[in-house]
Amino acid sequence: MFKILALITIFALTAFAAGDASFEAVKRDLNIPAIIMFFVFIVGTLGITYWAAKKTKSASDFYTAGGGITGFQNGLAIAGDYMSAAAFLGVSGLIYLKGYDGVIYAVSFLVGWPIILFFMAEKLRNLGKFTFADIAAYRLGQKEIRTLAAFGSLSVVVLYLIAQMVGAGKLIQVLFGMEYEYAVVLVGIMMIIYVTFGGMLATTWVQIIKACLLLTGVSFMAIMVLWHFDFSFESLAVKAVENHSAGESILAPGGFISDPISAISLGMALMLGTAGLPHVLMRFFTVGNAKEARKSVVYATGFVGYFWIIITVVGFGAIAFLNSADGAQYFVDGKLFGGNNMASIHLSHMLGGNAFLGFISAVAFATILAVVSGLTLAGASAISHDIYANVINPNATDEQVVRLSKITVVVVGIVGVVLGIAFESQNIAYMVGLAFGIAASANFPILFLSIYWRGLTTRGAFIGGFIGLITAVTLVIIGPIVWVQILGNAEAIFPYKHPALFSVTIAFLGIWFFSKTDNSQRGKDEKEMFRAQNVRANTGIGSAGAVDH
C-alpha cells in the first residue's frame, strides 16, 4: 500500500513538473536542478516514513516515538518544528516589506523559550504522556479539561496549518508553474502519507533533517549576501535603504505595528503562545526523562536564536538585491511574483542560480512538510487520545486509538487544503501570529496554572479557559483581517489585529475567579491533590520511561 501511494505521489509530481518554472508572466526553461533536488528530498523522506512505519507498533510509538529520542535530537526537531514556513518565508518576506519591524517580529518568537525552559519543560515530561492535556487533566476532571484542551489545540492547529499550506502552495507555484490550488492539494497528500504511516518517529526525523538543511541553506544565503558587501552589515543596510521605497524608515520601528496596544498584544501572543503550541509541547514526551527535556530546550533555543540572526541578513539582502535593476525579472505588474512570502526564494536564485534555487526550494518544502506533519499529529492526538480514549471510550485499545488517529489525519489534511486555498493572499507570518494568540489565550493559562497554582479547580479551568478561547477566536473573526479583508465588510468591529492582550487577560481572570468561587467538595479534593502532583512534577517519581527502538 505504501509503495503504491509513493508511486502515485511521484507520478503526480512528474505530471505537474511538466509546466514551466516561471517567475514572471513569460515562459522560462524548465528548472531541471530545482526539480531534481525536489525529488531527492521527497524520495528520501518517503524512505524515512517507510522505515518508521515498520517501527511504529503501539500508540506510544505513534504519538511519542516511544520516548526514545535524545535531548540533542529533540532539540533539533523542536527547532525544525519552530522554523516553519512563517519563520523562513513569512518573516523574511516581512523584513523585505517592512524592514526593522520584521526583525522585532522575529525576536518576539524567541522570547517564549526561556519560559518553557525554566518553568515547563521538566514538569511537562514528568507529568505527561502523549499531549499537554495529560498535565492539565492530572488532578482535574478528565471530561471537561480534555474537551477544552482539544478545542484549543484544534483551533491553533488549523490556523497554523493555513500558514504552512499558503507557503507551500506559493512555493510550488513559483518553482513548477503549477496552479496554486493543485500545489496545496499536493502538500496535503504528502502530509497525510507521512503522518498516517510513520507517526511521530517519521515526523521527528523529517524535522531533524529539515532543520539541518534549513540552517545550512540560510547560512549560505546570509554569507553570500554579506560577501557582496565585504561582510559589512552597515553597507548592506545602506543599500537596503537606497533600494526600498520607504527609505530610512525601514530602519525604525512603527512601520508594521504603530500603536502600543497592538505591539504589546502581539508580543504577549508570541511569548506566551510558544508555551501553548500543542505540536511543540508534544515533543517533550518523546524524550526519556526530564533532564533530556531540559537539554532539548537549550539546544532548540540556540538553533532558533541563530536562525533569527541570519534570517535578518537574508531579509535585508532581499531588499538590496530584489529591488535593484537586476531584480526586475522577479516582478509582475510591479509586484513580486508569488507575493512577499517568496522574497527569500527569489533571492536564492539571484545568489546561486538554478541549482541553489532548487536546494532552497526543496528545503522550504521540507520545512513546510515537517511542520504540517507535526501539526496534523497534534490535531489527531487531540481527537483520538484526549476526546475518544479519555472521554468517549476510556476502555479503547491502542489499535482503536491509532486507527482513529489515522482517520483524523486525513480529515485534518482535507481541512488544511480547503482553508489554505481560501486564505491564499494572507501573509503567513501574520497567520501564525493569530495561532500564537489563541495558544496563549486557551492553552497556556490552563497549563501554567495547573502546574503552579494549588487553587485551580475543574470549574475554574473549564469556564475560564473556554471564555479565553471564545474571546480570542471571536476577536480574530471581528478584527480587521477576517471581518474586512476576508468577509468584505467595510469596517472591523474590533479595531486591533492581535487580540492576545485582551483574551489572555480575560482567560487568567476567568480561571482565577471561577476557581476562587468554587466551594464544592470536588474542588476541595482537587486542591488537595496538588501536593502529590507537585511531588511528581519535581521528582519524576511515577513518570514513564523511554522505550528502546
Side-chain angles (χ1 to χ4, degrees):
M1 180 64 182
F2 177 81
K3 292 179 180 178
I4 293 172
L5 284 170
L7 288 172
I8 290 172
T9 305
I10 293 172
F11 176 77
L13 269 175
T14 309
F16 285 135
D20 71 306
S22 61
F23 285 105
E24 48 191 328
V26 299
K27 293 281 183 179
R28 277 180 174 268
D29 293 333
L30 196 64
N31 190 342
I32 299 299
I35 293 171
I36 290 173
M37 292 185 188
F38 201 77
F39 277 117
V40 167
F41 170 75
I42 288 176
V43 172
T45 49
L46 286 173
I48 292 171
T49 307
Y50 180 68
W51 163 77
K54 294 193 293 185
K55 289 179 169 288
T56 301
K57 298 179 176 67
S58 66
S60 176
D61 292 335
F62 186 81
Y63 290 123
T64 65
I69 307 298
T70 68
F72 178 76
Q73 292 169 345
N74 199 43
L76 260 178
I78 291 173
D81 239 339
Y82 211 66
M83 294 184 298
S84 64
F88 179 36
L89 303 178
V91 173
S92 60
L94 199 56
I95 295 173
Y96 167 76
L97 187 65
K98 297 292 185 181
Y100 182 73
D101 266 10
V103 179
I104 296 177
Y105 204 99
V107 172
S108 300
F109 277 109
L110 187 63
V111 179
W113 287 106
I115 294 175
I116 297 179
L117 174 61
F118 293 113
F119 293 106
M120 304 182 75
E122 181 176 348
K123 293 173 175 59
L124 282 170
R125 179 60 188 84
N126 288 339
L127 291 172
K129 185 180 181 184
F130 293 155
T131 68
F132 81 90
D134 293 333
I135 293 100
Y138 188 87
R139 62 186 173 97
L140 304 180
Q142 296 286 324
K143 183 177 180 181
E144 297 92 335
I145 299 305
R146 288 190 185 277
T147 302
L148 173 60
F151 275 105
S153 294
L154 290 171
S155 300
V156 174
V157 164
V158 167
L159 269 176
Y160 216 118
L161 199 56
I162 292 171
Q164 311 311 313
M165 287 299 192
V166 171
K170 289 297 183 184
L171 176 69
I172 300 175
Q173 184 184 37
V174 167
L175 188 61
F176 292 128
M178 190 195 309
E179 290 295 327
Y180 174 80
E181 291 79 6
Y182 294 133
V184 173
V185 170
L186 176 63
V187 175
I189 292 171
M190 294 296 296
M191 169 188 75
I192 290 169
I193 291 174
Y194 287 167
V195 181
T196 302
F197 291 97
M200 179 58 86
L201 189 60
T203 300
T204 297
W205 280 103
V206 169
Q207 286 163 342
I208 290 171
I209 293 169
K210 157 261 170 127
C212 295
L213 290 174
L214 183 61
L215 289 170
T216 301
V218 179
S219 295
F220 180 76
M221 284 181 72
I223 291 170
M224 288 291 288
V225 167
L226 291 174
W227 178 75
H228 280 83
F229 295 95
D230 297 323
F231 293 94
S232 169
F233 186 79
E234 181 183 356
S235 300
L236 169 61
V238 169
K239 189 64 175 178
V241 167
E242 289 177 7
N243 289 356
H244 200 286
S245 58
E248 288 189 6
S249 63
I250 66 167
L251 300 181
F256 181 61
I257 299 175
S258 54
D259 64 286
I261 291 178
S262 294
I264 294 170
S265 193
L266 175 60
M268 184 180 289
L270 299 182
M271 182 174 68
L272 302 182
T274 300
L277 295 176
H279 63 297
V280 171
L281 295 174
M282 274 187 77
R283 297 233 53 90
F284 292 102
F285 310 126
T286 65
V287 294
N289 52 56
K291 179 182 177 182
E292 295 298 312
R294 290 194 303 272
K295 285 167 63 178
S296 299
V297 186
V298 172
Y299 285 124
T301 305
F303 291 130
V304 172
Y306 169 72
F307 177 77
W308 288 130
I309 293 172
I310 55 180
I311 211 72
T312 301
V313 175
V314 170
F316 277 97
I319 298 173
F321 282 85
L322 295 180
N323 292 354
S324 65
D326 293 336
Q329 59 180 314
Y330 303 102
F331 287 80
V332 179
D333 298 328
K335 296 182 179 179
L336 198 63
F337 183 77
N340 295 318
N341 293 327
M342 291 295 106
S344 56
I345 300 297
H346 294 316
L347 177 63
S348 70
H349 188 256
M350 286 194 74
L351 295 173
N354 284 347
F356 191 52
L357 169 67
F359 176 77
I360 289 296
S361 299
V363 167
F365 188 66
T367 295
I368 292 162
L369 274 180
V371 174
V372 296
S373 298
L375 286 167
T376 308
L377 194 56
S381 65
I383 292 175
S384 59
H385 175 65
D386 292 331
I387 298 296
Y388 180 71
N390 285 283
V391 175
I392 298 174
N393 183 13
N395 297 318
T397 63
D398 269 10
E399 290 76 14
Q400 290 174 313
V401 174
V402 172
R403 190 184 309 120
L404 180 62
S405 291
K406 293 180 178 180
I407 294 171
T408 308
V409 165
V410 177
V411 175
V412 172
I414 294 170
V415 171
V417 167
V418 172
L419 293 177
I421 293 171
F423 283 77
E424 176 183 356
S425 62
Q426 292 302 312
N427 179 278
I428 51 183
Y430 169 73
M431 294 302 301
V432 168
L434 291 183
F436 274 66
I438 292 178
S441 307
N443 298 345
F444 175 74
I446 294 174
L447 184 59
F448 187 80
L449 292 176
S450 69
I451 294 174
Y452 285 102
W453 187 36
R454 179 191 186 91
L456 183 68
T457 68
T458 299
R459 178 170 172 257
F462 184 72
I463 298 175
F466 251 122
I467 290 173
L469 174 61
I470 292 169
T471 302
V473 174
T474 302
L475 294 183
V476 166
I477 292 172
I478 64 175
I481 297 296
V482 177
W483 195 254
V484 177
Q485 295 184 22
I486 305 296
L487 300 179
N489 293 295
E491 189 175 346
I493 300 172
F494 178 72
Y496 303 106
K497 291 182 179 180
H498 299 280
L501 177 61
F502 305 93
S503 55
V504 172
T505 303
I506 289 171
F508 271 105
L509 287 175
I511 293 170
W512 173 81
F513 176 78
F514 288 106
S515 292
K516 276 290 188 183
T517 55
D518 184 3
N519 296 316
S520 65
Q521 185 59 45
R522 181 188 187 183
K524 294 175 183 177
D525 293 341
E526 288 165 351
K527 293 173 185 176
E528 287 300 316
M529 291 171 65
F530 177 77
R531 181 176 296 179
Q533 175 189 303
N534 198 40
V535 170
R536 174 163 167 172
N538 287 288
T539 64
I541 295 173
S543 59
V547 176
D548 289 333
H549 283 287

